Amino acid sequence: MSRTVLRGSALVAVSAAGFGLMPVFARYAYSAGLTVSTLLFLRFAVAATLLFGYLAIRRRLPRRVTARHLGALLLLGAVLYALQSLFYFSAVEHISPALAVLLLYLYPAFVLLLSSALGRYRPPLAGVVAILLSLAGMALVLGRPSAAVNLVGVLYAVGAAGVYAVYIVVGDRTSADLPPLTTSAFVASFAGTSFLVAGTGTGELHFDFPASAWLPIVGVAVVSTVVAIGAFFAGMAVIGPTRASIMSMVEPVVSIGAAWVLLGEAITPLQVAGGAVVLAGAVWGVTGAVGAGTPAEPKEPVAAARVPSS
């Protein structure tokens, strides 16, 4: 393996680690008294500020953003990505970060099904196998219905995977012709605005949390959003989207390990086996989908919506 490929792979691994730590940061934030709406508003507000600041310093701010651009970005950020984040962070309130992230990785199968339905073509055999593997893995992860598995949390996590799949497909079809980091900044900005409006209307925004809560807030906004996005794009530019997508599958491994070490949470050997099956389905789905010309990039906010050319 050349040094260049090794560097690109390392960057994607850093990105996956950043995203993998996100549900753990969320757990710490909740224990400090933050609501889901407050955490997500601060996450996107801080991330958008840093992304726009970086673009301004590098003199890469767009000179003109058309109404079509704004419409597409508004849909992606204020509606789809905001909803996906709400579901995912709500899932972490009810189930362990490990289970939440494993269930989130059902989204490659959902992307393939949705893309096939919209394109009116039969999914490739690899895609069908990927879907079956993912469903079998989910069954192992959940096990037999019991009080140990919170159904509300499971539904939130599966809902997050479904909305994320819609986000990917819609983003691929309505992608604004803007550089990915610029689009990420706008998506984060619109998502943050959505949580500001919704949180204010429902009274869910509360800023009377202790100063120590800023540590997980900064972790979510900087480590799990800005750094994770930047590292993914930088790594993908070196090793390509397919390799980057597969490499990013270490995200659940990081989430499980971090939840075990930092939160004292663990999952059963059967659930570990189920998670491995889910990830196998995700890998097969990514490779099969890319081969079939369907969108399959897994990162956020806009890496999923649009694969950059550089």
Side-chain angles (χ1 to χ4, degrees):
M1 181 183 295
S2 69
R3 289 185 178 181
T4 300
V5 173
L6 185 62
R7 178 173 60 86
S9 299
L11 285 169
V12 175
V14 168
S15 169
F19 286 119
L21 288 172
M22 184 162 56
V24 177
F25 286 137
R27 273 296 182 90
Y28 279 124
Y30 296 151
S31 65
L34 271 75
T35 64
V36 174
S37 295
T38 303
L39 177 59
L40 288 174
F41 164 68
L42 292 174
R43 174 202 181 190
F44 289 121
V46 172
T49 300
L50 293 177
L51 286 169
F52 276 120
Y54 171 80
L55 292 171
I57 292 173
R58 297 297 299 272
R59 297 181 180 180
R60 294 181 179 178
L61 287 173
R63 296 181 179 180
R64 187 173 72 92
V65 180
T66 66
R68 182 178 65 85
H69 287 157
L70 288 176
L73 293 170
L74 186 64
L75 174 63
L76 291 174
V79 180
L80 295 176
Y81 201 73
L83 189 60
Q84 187 272 343
S85 298
L86 177 63
F87 283 173
Y88 184 54
F89 277 71
S90 296
V92 175
E93 275 194 312
H94 296 86
I95 59 177
S96 73
L99 291 181
V101 74
L102 286 175
L103 292 174
L104 178 67
Y105 266 77
L106 288 170
Y107 79 85
F110 293 160
V111 168
L112 190 61
L113 285 175
L114 186 57
S115 298
S116 299
L118 293 176
R120 296 183 179 180
Y121 64 85
R122 291 182 179 179
L125 179 59
V128 175
V129 174
I131 292 171
L132 295 177
L133 275 176
S134 294
L135 293 176
M138 184 178 68
L140 289 175
V141 167
L142 298 180
R144 291 182 299 179
S146 67
V149 177
N150 187 295
L151 181 59
V152 173
V154 169
L155 292 177
Y156 271 132
V158 175
V163 175
Y164 197 28
V166 175
Y167 169 84
I168 292 172
V169 174
V170 171
D172 183 71
R173 290 169 176 260
T174 63
S175 173
D177 299 322
L178 295 171
L181 284 182
T182 301
T183 312
S184 297
F186 276 106
V187 168
S189 178
F190 283 134
T193 302
S194 179
F195 284 109
L196 175 62
V197 173
T200 301
T202 59
E204 287 294 312
L205 283 183
H206 303 288
F207 300 102
D208 54 345
F209 49 80
S212 59
W214 278 104
L215 186 60
I217 292 171
V218 171
V220 168
V222 178
V223 176
S224 298
T225 305
V226 176
V227 172
I229 291 171
F232 181 77
F233 280 124
M236 184 170 61
V238 176
I239 64 176
T242 302
R243 283 187 182 180
S245 297
I246 295 172
M247 177 69 68
S248 70
M249 300 294 178
V250 303
E251 175 186 337
V253 178
V254 173
S255 291
I256 294 170
W260 176 54
V261 173
L262 299 176
L263 301 178
E265 296 183 353
I267 59 177
T268 67
L270 187 62
Q271 288 174 322
V272 171
V277 175
V278 170
L279 293 182
V283 171
W284 206 327
V286 167
T287 55
V290 170
T294 59
E297 288 304 313
K299 292 291 95 179
E300 64 176 287
V302 77
R306 178 172 177 269
V307 179
S309 58
S310 61

